[in-house]
Amino acid sequence: MTAPSLGVEIGSLKLRNPLLAASGTCGYGVEIAHVVDLATLGGIVTKGLYMAARDGCEAPRIAETPAGLLNAIGLQGVGIRAFVDRVLPRLREHDTAVIVNVCGETVEEYAEVARIASDAPGVHALEINISCPNVKTGGIAFGTDPLMTRDVVGAVRKASALPVIPKLSPNVTDITVFARACEEAGADAISCVNTFLGLAIDVETRKPRLAFGTGGLSGPAIRPLAVRMTWQAARAVKIPIIGIGGIASASDALEFFIAGASAVQVGTMNFSRPNIYAEIESGLVDYLTRHHIGSIRDLVGTIRYPR
Amino acid sequence: MTAPSLGVEIGSLKLRNPLLAASGTCGYGVEIAHVVDLATLGGIVTKGLYMAARDGCEAPRIAETPAGLLNAIGLQGVGIRAFVDRVLPRLREHDTAVIVNVCGETVEEYAEVARIASDAPGVHALEINISCPNVKTGGIAFGTDPLMTRDVVGAVRKASALPVIPKLSPNVTDITVFARACEEAGADAISCVNTFLGLAIDVETRKPRLAFGTGGLSGPAIRPLAVRMTWQAARAVKIPIIGIGGIASASDALEFFIAGASAVQVGTMNFSRPNIYAEIESGLVDYLTRHHIGSIRDLVGTIRYPR
Amino acid sequence: MTSSPPSPADRVCPLVKRESLGGAYALLTFEHAGVAGASAGQFAMIQPEAQGDLLLRRPFSIMDTDPSTSRFTIFLKAVGPGSKAVFDLREGDNARVLGPLGRGFTAPAPGERAFLVGGGYGVAPFALFSRGLREAGSAFHLFYGGRSASELPLVGELERRGIPLTLSTDDGTRGERGRVTVPLMDALSLVPGTPRLYACGPEPMMRAVAEISSEKRLACEVSLDPWMGCGLGTCLGCVVKIQDEGEPRPKNRPACTEGPVFDARRVVWEKHS
Amino acid sequence: MTSSPPSPADRVCPLVKRESLGGAYALLTFEHAGVAGASAGQFAMIQPEAQGDLLLRRPFSIMDTDPSTSRFTIFLKAVGPGSKAVFDLREGDNARVLGPLGRGFTAPAPGERAFLVGGGYGVAPFALFSRGLREAGSAFHLFYGGRSASELPLVGELERRGIPLTLSTDDGTRGERGRVTVPLMDALSLVPGTPRLYACGPEPMMRAVAEISSEKRLACEVSLDPWMGCGLGTCLGCVVKIQDEGEPRPKNRPACTEGPVFDARRVVWEKHS
Ligand SMILES: Cc1cc2nc3c(=O)[nH]c(=O)nc-3n(C[C@H](O)[C@H](O)[C@H](O)COP(=O)(O)OP(=O)(O)OC[C@H]3O[C@@H](n4cnc5c(N)ncnc54)[C@H](O)[C@@H]3O)c2cc1C
Ligand SMILES: Cc1cc2nc3c(=O)[nH]c(=O)nc-3n(C[C@H](O)[C@H](O)[C@H](O)COP(=O)(O)OP(=O)(O)OC[C@H]3O[C@@H](n4cnc5c(N)ncnc54)[C@H](O)[C@@H]3O)c2cc1C
Ligand SMILES: Cc1cc2nc3c(=O)[nH]c(=O)nc-3n(C[C@H](O)[C@H](O)[C@H](O)COP(=O)(O)O)c2cc1C
Ligand SMILES: Cc1cc2nc3c(=O)[nH]c(=O)nc-3n(C[C@H](O)[C@H](O)[C@H](O)COP(=O)(O)O)c2cc1C
Ligand code: FES
Ligand code: FES
């Protein structure tokens, strides 16, 4: 038997393998290139970018919780122009797909960031961050209102010919409402999901453990919730889903594929296991070989539900 | 200094200490009485009770996930009459408050179960379960629609003179909407929260790990989310909040009190640490003593937010 | 073993002896006065005190007890994270142990012969059960089967106890070749009277023994093996389908408190697989 | 130590030597060719290979290196779950080690004197730094302070290396009584010229040294100690407030890549507490 194929397509975006590094967990890619061979990834999603540079939240910004990480970074970043002018040229030297995580405080800003990113050579797709819980304007406000979701996605759709991938917030009653809003507004795929709004308190000081107060929960703790949402979203729309949340092994990634994801992103685990991709990739190959499945594409959405 | 006081009041319900065993994790209390001294608890919340006996979901019903437990029991139980007639007399022999977890498939059934429970001697309060994710009718459907929440709570309020404590679902965009609906409908307190809807897949069989398919996620994994919701709910309403979610130590419980809970429930940890109450209680006493706080009541909602 | 078992106690207690049996198998002896009073077929819920990332304890049958030293022994196979965590305990390490739990085997009536059928870690309770049978003067025999010789790790221990034993392996690398039910059937055709059957092991084995018992109208007890969360009857995670006489339908019953040992006739097998 | 450091490598590597220094303190030596080439002030992100329930690694300064055997040593204080997990490693256990990371101390100019001020686990990098200073022929002196004698656990190790040392304790149980800045001020008034200051330890200590340096117009480097999630510049969890000349406002800069060692003048202290 020939080796199983790991190549996938997300709209017009072709990925050598379905493993992406999640936004905010791999910088702009260049930071990790000396430790991780970027060619072992399908692609990277940049840290969220607004028009302007941002300094983010005060420290402390991260706190560990059981099997989870709570963060409130606040989208610190260099701004889209500095990214395109100063970072992208270095990133282009690496053989990996580049997806820009697009942020904005207004619909117009999202569209403008998207336009600039689309015009830059070496950007392969746009992920629209309508789900960051750690900023006071924009972010999650767009991602928890279906009409605003539709408007932002529609505006970015008009501004760009690249694949447009809104990233959903899990902090909603019914994720399928938002998945459908994205599909109707012309999205090519959906990233599912961003972090869950959480709060951890230092009981000695009675202050939140993060300076911002609340934060976004990520890591293995949230995996069963993210798998459920991926499964719900995949059944609700025809466009591909990118599964995200707590992936720490090939088996974890397989849960998302079986639930209906066409690709996955690894987030928090990049911090402690930057070289996890090779391990996940070989685990996927093993699994597909063992189960006589020729391509990862044939596994997508094959959950036996109801049993 | 005299020993700090741990007594709290939830409406007219007086608890010797603010530590309750959560519904579905201590049976009807009598099952654990030979292992746990029930007098070390403030009270117990029974497994959910409908009018009729129920056999629940097929097995497997539980699966471990990172720092979490996924369950789909499906509210197996003896029914409210059998509870009152056959179980309650044995439970009354123990010196602990008894809170009945009231379930229904219709508003009328909730009211009827509530009425029967209220008429039984030895029931101290009612918790209204509008948030079970593991039943096909009722349960979470009531707890994710503010109008249905209001109707159920209102009907139980009319049917009973006992303290009425709706238990909220965390699977909503904005928990304050539901907290306010409960308060307006006459609730005496709010239990916050039930389990998060999750899905875990056995990748070898591609079936869900639970026979029911999805399940409810509990345990330390969800604690930061539950603390956040407790904090939000406590700021939204004047009635007391009972904090629930992932409590495994005195420090965990303290996070909920500081966030605004007047009492807490321990759920999943009852399974592996049935005697956790004595440990938590002495941890609370230590903390209050160390911080020169005379009563746990004085700690409630003292979070320094913003910092 | 007919006296009513002590009520369970939840204790942190030390691992006093650990003996590797090769591969994923080991014998672990803990000091716990309560569990040391267990009867055969009962179990304990165990997890390391340094808990790591697992929430729930795991159930293990009591293989042996020594009330005089307050010790009990389990025969453990590491199969996943929970059993591995217990397997990895070193002597002197502490564990949380809750037990003894559940309903064990019913002793045969005086003069009644007992045939014990065990496989995998399911052979464990029969070590303790054998002791009771011997003390009670009951005739008994243990059929111990596995896929191959390496899957009969408890043989040495059982032989040392002088337990009347017939071994079998699917591949014939030790004892008779074939399923454990083959020597069982042979023996059934040889002995007079109506021996009682007791089975504990992989589900297909227990089903096969249950079928034999029903064909031959022999009393039979099986020790079921569902996933257990608490051992106390509170999580309702461990339910098995039980059909009782007079009931219109089978019901979900917690195996931890109503079992793990059940009369084979009550068990509805279809639903367990 | 002025040669550019090797690029970091992420490896699973064994703990080859563990020496307890009493209480929560220990010296741990790992085999990791990359980190064995670290320069003073750099650090590594470390967690046990058997990860338990913690997700993130923790940062530890390189206390010593031996490039010839590919080994490096850290001086560890167990303060919470992450450092405790590393503290609990036994010889032969594996750890995940990523390093060397960050920007270390700048060597003094030829002829310039170096005053090193360390406290707590912050004294660790000065062991490696001293070696370089000695090799470069620089005059230097280490001021090592703690609350009491039991909080100077590295004294023996430092004395063995013949590092010129002044000890102080808040309670006077060892060395001079008082803060470490007291003997530092004494020394500053004695020596000619403008020594360079280097501080690593609890924040109040570093602030005090930074203030002295600014009053006396001495060059000063401090090694900051924020919570770190990755060590790679990607989580942005470790930011510190840095005020650069010409910038209108201080900015959040990742300490793991732009530090942990910073020119004290750039550090905006208010925001760290
Ligand atoms: C009453 C009782 C007595 C037991 N006695 C012993 C004993 O004496 N010695 C011993 O080694 N083990 C015994 N077990 C089994 C032991 O409890 C399980 O092996 C253990 O719970 C598995 O947990 P894990 O985390 O290691 O593996 P998991 O990761 O939970 O499971 C690993 C694999 O085993 C399967 N599995 C898990 N639990 C069970 C189960 N209970 N039954 C069947 N398959 C399962 C899973 O589906 C999975 O394929 C007993 C179980 C019960 C219910
Ligand atoms: C560059 C750098 C070098 C370091 N070098 C060493 C070293 O050589 N030896 C050594 O023992 N430790 C060193 N540390 C500190 C070590 O990383 C922390 O002690 C460890 O991360 C604490 O994690 P924990 O899980 O054990 O404790 P936690 O539970 O995370 O923390 C326990 C307590 O310590 C506080 N704390 C945690 N991390 C820090 C921190 N970075 N700074 C200040 N307070 C903190 C917490 O607020 C809490 O009160 C270094 C830290 C940095 C940033
Ligand atoms: C420190 C941190 C920073 C993040 N920053 C961003 C971001 O800038 N944009 C974004 O869309 N998501 C961001 N995320 C969310 C992740 O991309 C991902 O959706 C989430 O962490 C869940 O995946 P995980 O459980 O694998 O970490 C961030 C997550 C973390 C932990
Ligand atoms: C096995 C199991 C059964 C449960 N059954 C009920 C129930 O019958 N009624 C109810 O309101 N909540 C039920 N719950 C939810 C718990 O009461 C609690 O809200 C939840 O587990 C979160 O708390 P924890 O993280 O401490 O477990 C159940 C939880 C578990 C794990
Ligand atoms: S194991 Fe929890 S009810 Fe049986
Ligand atoms: S530790 Fe992650 S950016 Fe510095």
Side-chain angles (χ1 to χ4, degrees):
Chain A
M1 196 174 129
T2 56
S5 146
L6 290 184
V8 296
E9 287 169 30
I10 304 293
S12 63
L13 173 67
K14 288 188 178 36
L15 299 175
R16 127 176 23 102
N17 75 34
L19 308 177
L20 306 169
S23 178
T25 66
C26 59
Y28 305 118
V30 293
E31 293 89 337
I32 57 168
H34 58 308
V35 173
V36 183
D37 179 2
L38 292 183
T40 64
L41 280 73
I44 69 124
V45 188
T46 68
K47 177 76 193 159
L49 288 159
Y50 287 82
M51 284 300 296
R54 289 168 62 103
D55 213 31
C57 304
E58 297 296 289
R61 291 173 161 192
I62 56 177
E64 268 201 74
T65 66
L69 178 67
L70 204 59
N71 90 80
I73 308 300
L75 293 171
Q76 177 170 355
V78 297
I80 186 67
R81 281 192 210 284
F83 170 76
V84 165
D85 295 343
R86 299 207 307 262
V87 183
L88 197 54
R90 286 194 288 147
L91 185 50
R92 269 199 303 267
E93 292 167 15
H94 300 280
D95 175 27
T96 200
V98 174
I99 302 173
V100 167
N101 187 260
V102 174
C103 300
E105 298 200 341
T106 61
V107 172
E108 294 69 35
E109 185 176 359
Y110 276 104
E112 184 63 12
V113 172
R115 202 168 358 250
I116 296 170
S118 305
D119 289 346
V123 173
H124 301 92
L126 305 179
E127 182 173 78
I128 319 180
N129 182 352
I130 48 172
S131 42
C132 179
N134 303 324
V135 288
K136 295 220 162 90
T137 43
I140 202 172
F142 289 101
T144 53
D145 177 334
L147 299 184
M148 286 170 85
T149 295
R150 188 196 55 192
D151 292 350
V152 173
V153 175
V156 172
R157 171 72 296 160
K158 275 209 210 92
S160 173
L162 292 179
V164 167
I165 313 170
K167 181 166 178 180
L168 297 186
S169 169
N171 300 288
V172 298
T173 310
D174 183 356
I175 196 133
T176 64
V177 170
F178 294 85
R180 276 192 293 265
C182 291
E183 184 174 47
E184 279 162 27
D188 297 282
I190 288 169
S191 286
C192 180
V193 286
N194 211 314
T195 53
F196 288 74
L197 192 63
L199 174 62
I201 299 173
D202 178 334
V203 301
E204 294 303 321
T205 62
R206 286 188 244 162
K207 291 182 195 172
R209 285 170 64 195
L210 303 182
F212 186 70
T214 56
L217 186 69
S218 62
I222 67 165
R223 193 196 314 134
L225 311 184
V227 170
R228 183 261 297 178
M229 290 181 180
T230 295
W231 168 72
Q232 290 178 319
R235 299 202 306 177
V237 297
K238 297 208 174 56
I239 51 177
I241 307 292
I242 302 177
I244 319 171
I247 294 176
S249 70
S251 165
D252 299 344
L254 285 163
E255 286 196 56
F256 283 90
F257 291 116
I258 293 167
S262 298
V264 298
Q265 295 180 15
V266 175
T268 303
M269 292 310 291
N270 285 315
F271 299 145
S272 56
R273 306 281 303 279
N275 282 299
I276 200 168
Y277 297 93
E279 186 185 314
I280 295 181
E281 177 164 350
S282 80
L284 295 184
V285 169
D286 279 1
Y287 177 91
L288 295 174
T289 308
R290 198 151 46 77
H291 287 261
H292 308 288
I293 301 173
S295 160
I296 189 81
R297 291 190 302 275
D298 298 332
L299 188 66
V300 174
T302 59
I303 183 170
R304 295 164 65 186
Y305 194 104
R307 290 155 49 110
Chain B
M1 198 174 127
T2 58
S5 147
L6 290 183
V8 298
E9 288 170 27
I10 305 292
S12 63
L13 172 68
K14 289 188 178 35
L15 300 175
R16 121 171 36 94
N17 75 34
L19 307 177
L20 306 168
S23 178
T25 66
C26 60
Y28 304 118
V30 293
E31 294 89 337
I32 56 168
H34 56 308
V35 173
V36 183
D37 179 0
L38 293 183
T40 63
L41 280 73
I44 70 122
V45 188
T46 68
K47 177 78 193 157
L49 288 160
Y50 286 82
M51 284 302 296
R54 289 169 62 103
D55 213 30
C57 304
E58 296 296 289
R61 291 173 162 192
I62 55 178
E64 269 201 74
T65 66
L69 178 66
L70 204 60
N71 90 81
I73 308 300
L75 292 171
Q76 177 171 356
V78 297
I80 185 67
R81 280 189 211 285
F83 169 76
V84 166
D85 296 343
R86 299 206 306 263
V87 183
L88 196 53
R90 286 194 288 147
L91 185 50
R92 269 198 304 267
E93 291 168 15
H94 299 281
D95 176 26
T96 200
V98 175
I99 302 173
V100 168
N101 187 260
V102 174
C103 301
E105 298 199 343
T106 61
V107 172
E108 293 69 36
E109 185 177 0
Y110 276 103
E112 183 64 12
V113 172
R115 203 169 357 251
I116 296 170
S118 305
D119 289 346
V123 174
H124 300 92
L126 305 179
E127 182 173 76
I128 318 179
N129 182 352
I130 48 172
S131 42
C132 179
N134 304 324
V135 288
K136 295 221 163 90
T137 43
I140 203 173
F142 289 100
T144 53
D145 176 333
L147 299 184
M148 286 171 85
T149 296
R150 187 197 57 192
D151 291 350
V152 173
V153 175
V156 172
R157 171 74 295 161
K158 275 208 211 94
S160 173
L162 293 179
V164 167
I165 312 171
K167 181 166 177 180
L168 297 186
S169 169
N171 300 288
V172 297
T173 310
D174 183 357
I175 195 131
T176 63
V177 170
F178 295 85
R180 275 192 294 265
C182 292
E183 184 174 46
E184 279 161 26
D188 297 281
I190 288 169
S191 285
C192 181
V193 287
N194 212 313
T195 53
F196 289 73
L197 192 63
L199 174 63
I201 299 173
D202 178 334
V203 301
E204 293 304 321
T205 62
R206 286 188 245 162
K207 292 182 195 171
R209 285 171 63 195
L210 304 182
F212 186 70
T214 55
L217 186 69
S218 62
I222 67 165
R223 193 196 312 134
L225 311 184
V227 170
R228 183 260 299 179
M229 290 182 179
T230 296
W231 169 72
Q232 290 178 319
R235 299 202 307 178
V237 297
K238 296 207 177 57
I239 52 177
I241 308 292
I242 302 177
I244 318 171
I247 295 176
S249 70
S251 165
D252 299 344
L254 285 164
E255 287 197 58
F256 282 90
F257 291 115
I258 294 167
S262 299
V264 297
Q265 295 181 15
V266 175
T268 302
M269 293 310 291
N270 285 314
F271 299 145
S272 56
R273 306 282 303 279
N275 282 298
I276 200 168
Y277 298 92
E279 187 186 313
I280 295 180
E281 176 163 351
S282 79
L284 296 184
V285 169
D286 279 2
Y287 177 91
L288 295 173
T289 308
R290 198 151 44 79
H291 288 260
H292 308 288
I293 301 174
S295 161
I296 190 81
R297 291 190 302 275
D298 299 333
L299 188 66
V300 174
T302 59
I303 183 171
R304 294 163 66 186
Y305 194 104
R307 290 155 52 108
Chain C
M1 93 203 153
T2 47
S3 66
S4 89
S7 112
D10 178 23
R11 293 240 177 78
V12 174
C13 66
L15 175 70
V16 291
K17 189 158 170 244
R18 184 182 190 289
E19 187 182 335
S20 168
L21 296 178
Y25 296 97
L27 292 175
L28 305 181
T29 301
F30 298 90
E31 203 168 292
H32 187 300
V35 182
S39 57
Q42 288 196 295
F43 65 96
M45 299 291 295
I46 306 181
Q47 74 181 171
E49 191 189 23
Q51 195 180 313
D53 53 349
L54 291 172
L55 294 182
L56 301 177
R57 304 186 191 195
R58 298 294 190 268
F60 300 98
S61 297
I62 315 304
M63 192 209 79
D64 203 2
T65 63
D66 185 350
S68 71
T69 59
S70 296
R71 294 179 174 195
F72 74 94
T73 300
I74 62 170
F75 167 53
L76 183 137
K77 176 175 186 182
V79 301
S83 50
K84 178 76 162 49
V86 177
F87 182 86
D88 285 343
L89 286 172
R90 312 186 200 196
E91 286 178 8
D93 286 351
N94 279 330
R96 297 179 196 281
V97 176
L98 169 67
L101 297 167
R103 298 193 187 164
F105 297 109
T106 316
E112 213 176 23
R113 186 183 296 270
F115 278 175
L116 324 181
V117 190
Y121 53 74
V123 74
F126 291 138
L128 183 58
F129 195 38
S130 294
R131 205 179 72 197
L133 292 168
R134 179 173 293 156
E135 284 164 12
S138 302
F140 70 99
H141 197 88
L142 171 57
F143 301 86
Y144 181 18
R147 260 198 291 267
S148 68
S150 65
E151 303 213 355
L152 299 174
L154 208 64
V155 165
E157 184 70 23
L158 298 170
E159 284 174 343
R160 201 160 33 250
R161 290 158 188 253
I163 292 171
L165 196 61
T166 299
L167 302 178
S168 59
T169 51
D170 296 359
D171 64 3
T173 46
R174 179 102 194 241
E176 302 188 23
R177 177 194 295 270
R179 306 274 150 164
V180 69
T181 41
V182 178
L184 172 66
M185 288 293 276
D186 289 349
L188 283 174
S189 67
L190 279 174
V191 298
T194 53
R196 249 176 192 274
L197 306 187
Y198 300 86
C200 185
E203 184 167 312
M205 188 208 88
M206 291 197 285
R207 286 176 80 145
V209 175
E211 271 163 33
I212 291 171
S213 77
S214 114
E215 278 164 27
K216 303 203 176 272
R217 301 178 178 276
L218 299 175
C220 177
E221 286 184 337
V222 291
S223 179
L224 299 182
D225 185 32
W227 228 96
M228 290 185 171
C230 67
L232 291 169
T234 55
C235 76
L236 298 179
C238 66
V239 292
V240 292
K241 278 259 176 283
I242 297 296
Q243 174 69 63
D244 279 323
E245 270 178 70
E247 292 279 353
R249 270 182 305 278
K251 287 207 167 155
N252 287 321
R253 304 263 190 205
C256 64
T257 50
E258 305 203 7
V261 176
F262 289 92
D263 183 330
R265 280 170 306 186
R266 299 174 66 205
V267 177
V268 183
W269 295 99
E270 302 54 26
K271 303 290 180 177
H272 293 146
S273 60
Chain D
M1 91 203 149
T2 47
S3 65
S4 91
S7 113
D10 179 23
R11 294 242 175 76
V12 174
C13 67
L15 176 69
V16 291
K17 188 156 172 246
R18 183 181 190 289
E19 186 182 337
S20 168
L21 296 179
Y25 296 97
L27 292 176
L28 305 181
T29 300
F30 297 90
E31 203 168 292
H32 188 300
V35 181
S39 57
Q42 288 196 295
F43 66 96
M45 299 291 294
I46 305 181
Q47 73 183 171
E49 190 188 22
Q51 195 181 315
D53 54 350
L54 291 173
L55 295 182
L56 301 177
R57 305 185 190 196
R58 298 293 189 270
F60 299 98
S61 298
I62 315 304
M63 192 209 77
D64 203 2
T65 64
D66 185 350
S68 71
T69 59
S70 296
R71 293 179 175 194
F72 74 93
T73 301
I74 62 170
F75 167 54
L76 182 136
K77 176 175 186 182
V79 301
S83 50
K84 178 77 163 48
V86 177
F87 182 85
D88 285 345
L89 286 172
R90 311 185 202 199
E91 287 178 8
D93 286 351
N94 278 331
R96 298 180 197 280
V97 176
L98 169 66
L101 298 166
R103 299 194 187 162
F105 297 108
T106 315
E112 213 176 23
R113 184 185 298 270
F115 277 175
L116 324 179
V117 190
Y121 52 74
V123 74
F126 292 137
L128 183 57
F129 195 38
S130 296
R131 206 180 71 199
L133 292 169
R134 178 173 293 156
E135 284 164 12
S138 302
F140 70 100
H141 196 89
L142 171 57
F143 300 87
Y144 181 19
R147 259 198 292 267
S148 67
S150 64
E151 303 212 356
L152 300 175
L154 208 64
V155 165
E157 184 69 23
L158 297 170
E159 285 175 341
R160 202 160 30 252
R161 290 158 188 253
I163 291 172
L165 197 61
T166 299
L167 302 177
S168 60
T169 52
D170 296 358
D171 64 2
T173 46
R174 179 105 194 238
E176 302 188 23
R177 178 194 294 268
R179 306 273 152 164
V180 69
T181 40
V182 178
L184 172 66
M185 287 294 276
D186 289 349
L188 284 174
S189 67
L190 279 173
V191 299
T194 54
R196 249 176 191 274
L197 305 187
Y198 300 87
C200 184
E203 183 167 312
M205 188 208 87
M206 291 197 285
R207 286 176 81 145
V209 175
E211 272 163 32
I212 291 171
S213 76
S214 114
E215 278 164 26
K216 301 203 179 272
R217 299 178 180 278
L218 299 174
C220 176
E221 286 184 338
V222 292
S223 179
L224 299 181
D225 185 32
W227 228 97
M228 291 185 170
C230 69
L232 291 168
T234 55
C235 76
L236 298 180
C238 66
V239 292
V240 291
K241 278 258 176 285
I242 297 296
Q243 175 69 62
D244 278 324
E245 269 178 71
E247 292 279 353
R249 269 182 306 278
K251 287 207 168 157
N252 287 321
R253 305 263 189 203
C256 64
T257 48
E258 305 202 8
V261 176
F262 289 92
D263 183 331
R265 280 169 306 187
R266 300 174 66 205
V267 177
V268 183
W269 294 100
E270 302 54 28
K271 303 289 181 179
H272 294 145
S273 60

